[in-house]
Amino acid sequence: MLWLLFFLVTVIRAELCQPDAENAFKVRLSIRTALGDKAYVWDTNEEYLFRAMVAFSMRKVPNRETTEISHVLLCNVTQRVSFWFVVTDPSKNHTLPANEVQSAIRMNRNRINNVFFLNDQTLEFLKIPSTLAPPMDPSVPIWIIIFGVIFCIVIVATTLLILSGIRQRRRENKGSSEVDDIEDKLENMDTITNSTRCDSLDMKGGHINDVFMTEDERLTPL
Amino acid sequence: MAQALGLGLLVDEGEDKRPHWDNRLQYLLSCVGFAVGLGNIWRFPYLCQTYGGGAFLIPYLIALVFEGIPLFHIELAIGQRLRRGSIGVWTAISPYLGGVGLGCFTVSFLVSLYYNTVLVWVLWYFLNSFQQPLPWGTCPPNLNRTGLVEECQGSGTVSYFWYRRTLNITADIGDSGAVQWRLLLCQAASWALVYLCVSRGIETTGKAIYFTALFPYLVLTIFLVRGLTLPGATEGLIYLFTPNVQILLNPRVWLDAATQIFFSLSLAFGGHIAFASYNPPRNNCRRDAVIIALVNSATSLYASITIFAIMGFKAINDHGQCLDRNILSLINEFSLPELSISRDDFPAALLHLNTTHPGRVARLPLRACRLEDFLDQGTSGPGLAFIVFTEAVLHMPGAPVWAVLFFGMLFSLGLSSMFGNMEGVITPLLDMGVLPRWVPKEVLTGLACLVCFLSATCFTLQSGSYWLEVFDNFAASLNLVTFALLEVVGVTYVYGMERFCADVEWMTGRRPSLYWRVSWRVVSPLLLLGILLSYIVLLALKSPSYKAWNPQYALFPSQEEKLYPHWVQATCALLSFLPLLWVPGYALAQWLARHRRQDTQQDTGLKLQDGSGC
């Protein structure tokens, strides 16, 4: 009789943990992808550790401080290393609601990951979204720093260039002002003697107008 | 002979303290830097890939020999002979052709605006490359940190960084959005840098060009060596260079080859004329033209080898990832042990599982992974640099170093082309004497850069990249081809072939051979006319449309094809035709001025009958 009761209890417990059962979650581990050569083998001891971590997470939830390792049931362990788990209440007849389990796992996700040397991508709780790490924004974005450096260099170089240009021009002006006076006198003499030069009709600021020169060449071929 | 003496005298008198190059190397590097630009990196490899790999070199070389080099020789020769910027040169050839120079000047100005915007984008990426991990490698989490941002998940991290974090693009060209302050800052820095290098004309660009023209070659070599050692490089090179001679029957190939040579050499901008005008009068411009054109094409080829090697690496990488995703789906579904199916075993395993459990396999999201599909993904233009290449760089070990090198190279390539563009704008202004002579040159260049900077802020709007495409397609292409055609016709028929050949003989010591004369007279004008007509036909056939980035689009991340609204189409027409209107406009103005001058001369002639005037 006792044997039959025990059998019934086991069957009921087994039914609590099944693929796609109510309040059951599937877990998938990718140990070899994460650790390569240092990968450990997934055996019943690792399963015990997993159940312990889930129980630990549940104990942190108010009203669930009495969760024991035996309340966490694992089933359908495959070679992939994937399995399903449920958490039962102390009476072992009902499973705890999914949202409680979910929030408990989410809050302790980091510690569970660290225990198995895995991360959010290699230790997947399907249907439990992980909280992503906040973006690592430094207080001053790096691009602004580099921009500031480059901009300052450019401004300093431009200022130096302009200043050296001003200084050069001042030196030239002092030297050439005497030469200019002599040239002006010569030009004035020219305009006095040849008052009706053809070129002066279309002269623009002392430039020689190529239009007239090219026309002359056309008229007098050699 | 007296003609030559006359020329010598004329040239000496017209010297007028014109700036000159410190040495011939500066001049050659400036022309090479102007010709070699971003198009060599991201247009030529794409054309090579699309048009049958190695077979594309045949139309390309033919176009180079019969169109590129002759036109280039003309530009250098007239600049060197007449020693003026583009406006001065054309007024000297014929007073009625001054409009060509004005048109070239306008196009140079418009191109400077949007070309510098591309540099701004490159600068932004350059500034963001100094961090590990690179910011375009990861998606940011969404607001409640339960998952990644939806747009990023849909499109991929690299596209998200480009369209959202850089451009912050709107879904429609009509929706301008706000000015992006990040891009505006980068634009200020970029124009400040351009001003620093261009402030005293060739005196400063001549020094800067040593770095900006040679640094890209150094980086290309480094990338070539690194690229060839990456897995997949040889597959990329073999697949992309394998000639497919059949494709030469398609006339589109020849058109694109001719167009590519034309734009690659940066003809009809007036920049080369300006550079050559600072040369000593007796300089072998024929040899210079051939050298520079060949260097430009060799650079295109060299760059495409590097690009193909890295694209091959990226294709192999993507192919491997595609296979890995399929393998993971299989393993997860059938709960097989990890790493039990290798990439080589995958086809056999899939077949086996398909025969035993076809239903379950059919439900899996398996993608067909063919290496050729990944190799075929060719892009050109900014897409190559900012999306495809940045993704390739992510997978290379030491990614930030490669990103910094790559964007540094793009920036110096673009900067040396900007020098040529700005010379095409500044030299005519200086020659026309827009500002009084006592105003220093730095003020003129500063004002020019400031005007350009303020005008180009429209490209920092959220719809800026759509406008850039408008400018790129309409402001430059049609106008430049027309101006080049007018250049060839103007020099050959208005200036006179005999006179031009005599000038060239005086400058280089040898009369141009039959090849040059036939090209200038017949072949180049015909080729240009062909390009022009096909442009017009293609423009007329297809209503201009653009591809918009719309996260709400049903087929996102594909881009939504939209037609331009009417006011944008009007702007396109304006950009295409306004520079061209300078030609008849200036000719008309000259003719009217002449007419009025003749009338007044006749009047004065009647009054003073001995005619002490000419």
Side-chain angles (χ1 to χ4, degrees), chain B residues 20 26 33 47 49 75 81 86 89 100 127 150 179 182 243 260 279 301 316 366 389 450 482 519 551 601:
Chain B
H20 57 94
Q26 262 186 15
L47 288 175
Q49 181 188 351
E75 284 215 5
R81 156 74 180 89
S86 56
V89 151
V100 177
L127 295 176
E150 205 185 305
V179 169
R182 297 185 179 86
Q260 170 62 15
N279 266 339
L301 212 57
I316 288 263
L366 294 178
F389 209 85
L450 187 66
T482 318
S519 305
Q601 275 183 6

Side-chain angles (χ1 to χ4, degrees), chain A residues 31 33 80 161 164 198 213, chain B residues 10 145 200 332 338 614:
Chain A
I31 308 172
T33 317
R80 169 70 179 83
L161 205 66
S164 78
C198 298
M213 285 194 295
Chain B
L10 289 170
R145 306 217 322 255
R200 281 200 220 145
N332 284 347
E338 268 183 284
C614 308

Side-chain angles (χ1 to χ4, degrees), chain B residues 223-448:
Chain B
F223 262 103
L224 183 67
V225 171
R226 175 73 257 225
L228 288 176
T229 55
L230 288 169
T234 29
E235 278 92 338
L237 284 172
I238 292 172
Y239 184 75
L240 295 162
F241 267 123
T242 310
N244 170 17
V245 195
Q246 295 288 5
I247 211 145
L248 294 181
L249 301 170
N250 180 4
R252 197 66 208 266
V253 181
W254 297 89
L255 173 68
D256 276 342
T259 320
Q260 170 62 15
I261 268 292
F262 180 77
F263 290 118
S264 181
L265 284 170
S266 307
L267 297 167
F269 275 93
H272 288 298
I273 298 180
F275 282 148
S277 71
Y278 299 119
N279 266 339
R282 282 185 185 268
N283 177 47
N284 194 344
C285 53
R286 174 179 47 240
R287 193 178 48 188
D288 294 340
V290 174
I291 291 176
I292 297 167
L294 287 178
V295 168
N296 178 52
S297 297
T299 310
S300 291
L301 212 57
Y302 193 52
S304 57
I305 297 177
T306 311
I307 297 284
F308 285 161
I310 302 209
M311 291 300 108
F313 160 71
K314 178 176 185 294
I316 288 263
N317 216 313
D318 288 345
H319 175 66
Q321 280 185 350
C322 178
L323 278 178
D324 283 344
R325 253 173 295 162
N326 285 351
I327 291 174
L328 197 64
S329 303
L330 275 186
I331 287 181
N332 284 347
E333 173 65 26
F334 293 99
S335 298
L336 303 166
E338 268 183 284
L339 308 177
S340 52
I341 307 179
S342 71
R343 287 181 186 171
D344 299 323
D345 297 333
F346 174 70
L350 180 64
L351 200 64
H352 169 75
L353 287 169
N354 211 4
T355 44
T356 45
H357 304 95
R360 288 169 73 183
V361 170
R363 263 190 309 227
L364 290 175
L366 294 178
R367 267 185 62 190
C369 297
R370 285 179 60 239
L371 186 59
E372 287 77 33
D373 293 339
F374 290 105
L375 284 169
D376 270 336
Q377 280 173 6
T379 356
S380 75
L384 177 73
F386 298 117
I387 298 182
V388 175
F389 209 85
T390 42
E391 201 184 324
V393 159
L394 276 178
H395 301 299
M396 292 164 74
V401 174
W402 301 110
V404 167
L405 277 179
F406 178 65
F407 290 111
M409 170 184 80
L410 285 189
F411 193 78
S412 46
L413 274 174
L415 198 63
S416 52
S417 297
M418 274 305 289
F419 295 161
N421 274 326
M422 293 311 287
E423 278 301 321
V425 170
I426 288 171
T427 308
L429 286 176
L430 281 173
D431 291 337
M432 282 200 300
V434 165
L435 290 180
R437 296 205 72 196
W438 52 267
V439 176
K441 192 193 269 190
E442 286 92 328
V443 174
L444 176 71
T445 45
L447 282 176

